[in-house]
Amino acid sequence: MQNHLKHELQNVLSGKSEIRFGRTVQSIACYLVDGEKTSKVAENEKHFKNQETKRLEEYISQEKLWIKEIDLSQYVSEGAEQKVYLKDTEHVLKLNDSIYYNSWKDYLYNLLLHNYFFPDTAYELVGFTKDNEILYAVVQQSYVSITSSTDLTKVKTFLTMNGFVNNRNNDYYNPELGIILEDLHDENVLTRNEVLYFIDTVFYLTDEFWKS
């Protein structure tokens, strides 16, 4: 079962299988992967990401994915990795600079994994913007109104049933899939009418994920 799921997820990340709001994300991820194959190995992670960002910006310009206007008056909140703005009564916009990831490719993989596991709060990549020379992905997500605070024991139970082990605090690991899922505190998992909604997830892949 888990091997079948891993294969399915590998197909999603490589663009071979469709997923909700996945096409644009998959296209960019594949473009970045192709760039890795043709470029020299970077001396360090920071240099690699700088080079990757340049390639990504070229793609953004080529595909006309720049977003020039965002209504900053609709500011809601921000954390270490993103800024949140209200778009309308049903959606929010999130600006993420991929600071949690060593590469933009890994951030895009995170979006795809989130959309696979949690389609009811799927991210739609609508474009990119820059602020103070920092590149941000702009994603749209359904707004979730909460009806009660989140019981983290229910989050743990749900994830355990799906093969994830709670290895520390609000972080989880699926050893069979080789997937890490972190930062699932009660502001990133909301509750509406007794249903859990995962709105902000941080997925990482280990080497185990790509093994057959």
Side-chain angles (χ1 to χ4, degrees):
M1 179 67 178
Q2 291 286 296
N3 281 338
H4 174 75
L5 177 56
K6 181 192 285 190
H7 182 67
E8 190 173 348
L9 289 170
Q10 289 171 347
N11 283 339
V12 168
L13 299 195
S14 62
K16 296 176 183 177
S17 297
E18 293 184 359
I19 191 174
R20 188 181 186 200
F21 299 143
R23 182 170 298 178
T24 300
V25 181
Q26 289 168 320
S27 296
I28 300 173
C30 289
Y31 171 82
L32 294 178
V33 169
D34 289 342
E36 288 179 9
K37 295 176 181 177
T38 57
S39 63
K40 295 181 180 179
V41 177
E43 295 178 2
N44 56 61
E45 292 175 354
K46 183 177 180 180
H47 178 71
F48 170 80
K49 192 168 185 179
N50 287 340
Q51 294 301 312
E52 183 194 42
T53 301
K54 290 180 181 178
R55 294 200 309 274
L56 176 55
E57 290 183 2
E58 291 173 359
Y59 184 90
I60 295 167
S61 296
Q62 176 184 317
E63 298 298 321
K64 298 179 173 59
L65 293 174
W66 289 112
I67 294 178
K68 296 182 179 179
E69 293 186 9
I70 294 174
D71 189 354
L72 301 181
S73 69
Q74 297 302 309
Y75 172 85
V76 176
S77 64
E78 66 182 276
E81 82 286 11
Q82 66 183 6
K83 302 176 182 179
V84 183
Y85 299 87
L86 192 64
K87 181 184 180 185
D88 51 46
T89 57
E90 297 183 352
H91 301 92
V92 294
L93 290 178
K94 296 182 176 181
L95 277 61
N96 195 305
D97 64 357
S98 77
I99 194 172
Y100 280 175
Y101 296 91
N102 291 329
S103 70
W104 276 100
K105 178 194 68 178
D106 289 342
Y107 166 73
L108 296 170
Y109 283 168
N110 167 70
L111 296 183
L112 293 172
L113 290 169
H114 177 96
N115 291 3
Y116 182 91
F117 285 107
F118 310 115
D120 51 348
T121 56
Y123 295 113
E124 180 181 5
L125 180 62
V126 295
F128 294 82
T129 190
K130 290 188 80 171
D131 183 37
N132 293 323
E133 296 304 309
I134 298 174
L135 180 66
Y136 291 89
V138 182
V139 297
Q140 178 175 290
Q141 188 180 48
S142 295
Y143 175 77
V144 177
S145 57
I146 63 174
T147 57
S148 62
S149 58
T150 295
D151 183 349
L152 292 178
T153 60
K154 291 184 178 180
V155 174
K156 182 177 180 178
T157 298
F158 173 79
L159 290 171
T160 300
M161 290 174 59
N162 287 278
F164 285 86
V165 179
N166 183 209
N167 53 356
R168 65 174 183 178
N169 299 326
N170 300 312
D171 299 341
Y172 293 81
Y173 175 60
N174 188 311
E176 293 189 42
L177 295 179
I179 293 178
I180 297 168
L181 177 53
E182 294 188 349
D183 210 26
L184 296 179
H185 53 75
D186 59 4
E187 292 182 358
N188 288 341
V189 184
L190 306 181
T191 300
R192 182 174 67 192
N193 299 327
E194 301 300 317
V195 177
L196 296 174
Y197 289 86
F198 292 73
I199 63 164
D200 283 319
T201 55
V202 182
F203 282 97
Y204 297 104
L205 299 176
T206 67
D207 291 339
E208 180 64 30
F209 175 81
W210 296 108
K211 294 179 181 178
S212 301

